[in-house]
């Protein structure tokens, strides 16, 4: 059985569980246990703190894991990123007090920077030839400058709200991060390898579908060419007859990012009764 390390609670938990559910993986209903098998797929979930996930995969306690790229790089375990998952997006950034004028990276020379990510920060500073003092703290990093513990911080930023409420400003983005699926170079037996391949295949289908919508609409036959010109579709749109001979029904898949532009264009050329549906999986 393929063992997947996932965060037991926290920011990654909900979307990890949603992804696995969308991939058709149902869990045996057991509460508050560390190891939970699936009832319809040869996998079991190992629930851990996110800090421990890279290590669990590197040592073989788990076969694969789902964790933030920031934790993977900080722990520098021997693991491979198998796939970016597109959720829990954030960034690791340098931030300084709001009223301080920032002159560029050299500003950090001789300064004290508080962080929970000393490895990523020291790699970055070394690469940029900046000589700063790294002060490691495990939580509430953003309050460090305010209480005189450091001159700057290096921490996770998403909306930036925490920085603002602590009178800080983001001055350098060092690492964009998101949840990733990790594995190791360790050999997997046939059953595990098959389960992993099937899981990767299903994640691909779920992720492809996430950015697409299925649209269908009624179109007067006289306007069909104009409608088809707006709808490229995956191959070509489906055109079906309707009871009224002068009309037809057109079905297509479109990119979510073009959704409203396409809908307005379709309406303008005469499409009616436009329905937009979510797609759960899409196999190309
Ligand atoms: P644990 O108790 O498992 O150690 P934690 O408190 O260390 O959890 P969380 O706050 O749950 O960690 O964050 C987990 C991961 O989610 C982070 O490592 C990061 O990749 C991502 N993350 C953190 N903050 C945000 C945010 N504000 N928005 C989006 N993603 C975030
Ligand atoms: Mg943690």
């Amino acid at each position: 059985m393929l063992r997947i390390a996932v965060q037991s609670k926290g920011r990654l938990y909900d979307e990890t569980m949603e992804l696995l559910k969308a991939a058709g993986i149902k869990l045996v209903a057991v509460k508050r246990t560390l190891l939970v098998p699936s009832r319809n797929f040869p996998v079991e979930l190992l629930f851990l703190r996110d800090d421990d996930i890279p290590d669990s995969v590197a040592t073989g306690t788990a076969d694969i894991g789902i964790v933030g790229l920031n934790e993977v790089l900080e722990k520098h375990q021997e693991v491979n990123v198998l796939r970016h998952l597109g959720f829990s997006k954030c960034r690791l950034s340098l931030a300084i007090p709001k009223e301080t004028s920032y002159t560029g990276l050299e500003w950090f020379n001789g300064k004290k920077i508080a962080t929970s990510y000393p490895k990523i920060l020291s790699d970055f500073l070394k690469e940029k030839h900046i000589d700063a003092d790294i002060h490691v703290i495990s939580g509430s990093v953003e309050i460090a400058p305010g209480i005189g513990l450091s001159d700057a911080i290096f921490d996770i930023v998403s909306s930036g709200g925490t920085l603002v409420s602590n009178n800080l400003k983001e001055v350098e983005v060092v690492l964009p991060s998101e949840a990733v699926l990790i594995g190791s170079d360790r050999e997997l037996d046939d059953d595990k390898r098959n389960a992993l391949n099937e899981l990767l295949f299903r994640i691909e289908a779920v992720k492809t579908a996430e950015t697409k919508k299925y649209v269908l609409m009624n179109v007067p036959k006289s306007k069909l060419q104009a409608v088809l010109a707006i709808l490229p579709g995956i191959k070509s749109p489906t055109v079906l007859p309707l009871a009224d001979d002068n009309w037809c029904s057109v079905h297509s898949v479109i990119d979510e990012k073009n959704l409203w532009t396409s809908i307005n264009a379709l309406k303008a050329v005469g499409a009616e009764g436009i329905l937009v549906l979510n797609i759960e999986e899409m196999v190309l």
Side-chain angles (χ1 to χ4, degrees), residues 6-13 15 48-53 67-72 87-91 117 138 156-160 162 177-179:
V6 299
Q7 194 188 25
S8 55
K9 54 183 184 327
R11 290 180 190 273
L12 295 163
Y13 177 82
E15 284 181 278
L48 297 176
R49 286 200 58 184
D50 72 339
D51 314 55
D52 297 329
I53 294 175
V67 69
L69 182 64
N70 51 311
E71 287 298 326
V72 177
F87 59 85
S88 291
K89 286 196 173 173
C90 57
R91 52 197 188 270
Y117 294 92
S138 58
I156 289 181
V157 180
S158 60
S159 68
T162 310
S177 180
E178 65 184 90

Side-chain angles (χ1 to χ4, degrees), residues 62-91:
D63 300 304
I64 58 171
I66 295 177
V67 69
L69 182 64
N70 51 311
E71 287 298 326
V72 177
L73 297 182
E74 181 60 29
K75 298 294 185 298
H76 59 106
Q77 300 290 350
E78 293 300 302
V79 296
N80 311 318
V81 172
L82 303 179
R83 199 189 196 289
H84 285 67
L85 297 174
F87 59 85
S88 291
K89 286 196 173 173
C90 57
R91 52 197 188 270

Side-chain angles (χ1 to χ4, degrees), residues 40 49 57 81 110 144 184 256 263 281:
N40 65 347
R49 286 200 58 184
V57 173
V81 172
S184 73
E256 193 171 24
I263 285 181
E281 281 96 29

Side-chain angles (χ1 to χ4, degrees), residues 163-182:
L163 294 183
V164 171
S165 56
N166 286 281
N167 281 318
L168 297 168
K169 62 179 176 189
E170 183 177 13
V171 292
E172 301 282 346
V173 176
V174 173
L175 176 80
S177 180
E178 65 184 90
V180 290
L181 185 74
I182 55 171

